[in-house]
Each structure stands twice: as C-alpha cells, then as structure tokens.
C-alpha cells in the first residue's frame, strides 16, 4: 500500500540522515584530533592533578597540558549529560492512569446471591 511504502521511504531517509550526521560530527572530531595531535588546549599548574598529568596530555601533548583528544572527550561527556538533563526536564510527564473505584452497586452485582445455588457445596 501507499502508506507502507511511504513509511519505508521515511525510515530509510531518517537512517541516511542520521548516518550522514554521525559521520560528519565524528569525522570532524577525528580530523581536529589528528591535525592538532601535539597541541595543548591549555596548561594545568604542576601542583594540580599531578598523578594524572600524563593522562591529560594523551596522546602526545606536552606534559602538564590538556590535549585536544582529552578535551574533546570531556566536552562530549558534558554535552551528552546536559542534553539528557534538558530532555528529562522538558519531557511532559503523563499522570498515572488509574482505574475508577467500583461503586457499591457494581460490588453488589458481582457478589452471588445467598441461597442461589452458585456456592460450592463440599
């Protein structure tokens, strides 16, 4: 049918756009990291974070600095967390669906009458 064909085309288009955007975003990040392989984003004072200074300078930025790769990773984490918080706060929360309480006439109609023979005799 026409609606199922349109649905398939829409899904294919969404997958294509999603793939192109991912390649663009991660590709740009990879190119920037490779191009600025040995460049420091900023320097950290020597008495700060001394045990992890070598980690902050990975893969090969000068010791005591934060490399582009580590900075991109940190920015990515912060952006993902901020987007999650933003989505969580703006998403409308539907009130819980509860069944209406049965009225007394509904309860009485559901009980078998006394002496009607519907009770089990054991």
């Amino acid at each position: 049918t026409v609606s199922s064909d349109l649905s398939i085309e829409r899904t294919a288009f969404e997958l294509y756009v999603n793939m192109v955007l991912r390649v663009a975003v991660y590709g740009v990040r990879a190119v920037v990291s490779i191009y600025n392989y040995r460049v420091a984003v900023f320097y950290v004072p020597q008495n700060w974070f001394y045990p992890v200074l070598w980690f902050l300078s990975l893969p090969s930025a000068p010791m005591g600095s934060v490399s582009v790769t580590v900075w991109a990773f940190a920015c990515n984490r912060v952006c993902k967390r901020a987007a999650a918080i933003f989505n969580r706060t703006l998403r409308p929360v539907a009130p819980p669906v509860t069944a209406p309480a049965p009225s007394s006439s509904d309860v009485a109609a559901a009980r078998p009458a006394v002496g009607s023979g519907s009770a089990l005799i054991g």
Side-chain angles (χ1 to χ4, degrees):
T1 66
V2 174
S3 64
S4 65
D5 289 342
L6 287 175
S7 169
I8 290 170
E9 287 183 26
R10 179 181 178 196
T11 303
F13 177 75
E14 287 175 353
L15 287 172
Y16 177 74
V17 168
N18 190 7
M19 181 184 64
V20 167
L21 288 174
R22 284 183 186 266
V23 167
V25 167
Y26 291 115
V28 167
R29 194 167 84 186
V31 167
V32 167
S33 291
I34 291 169
Y35 183 72
N36 296 310
Y37 191 70
R38 298 182 188 274
V39 176
V41 176
F42 60 89
Y43 286 89
V44 180
Q46 288 294 330
N47 57 355
W48 286 11
F49 307 118
Y50 181 73
V52 291
L53 281 178
W54 67 271
F55 178 75
L56 293 175
S57 63
L58 286 176
S60 69
M63 186 63 146
S65 67
V66 176
S67 69
V68 171
T69 306
V70 172
W71 186 250
F73 177 76
C75 290
N76 187 29
R77 295 285 295 200
V78 169
C79 289
K80 281 186 178 181
R81 295 268 173 121
I85 291 169
F86 184 73
N87 286 337
R88 205 173 335 141
T89 57
L90 291 183
R91 184 181 312 138
V93 178
V97 178
T98 57
S103 65
S104 59
S105 61
D106 292 338
V107 173
R111 274 191 238 141
V114 177
S116 66
S118 63
L120 294 175
I121 301 175

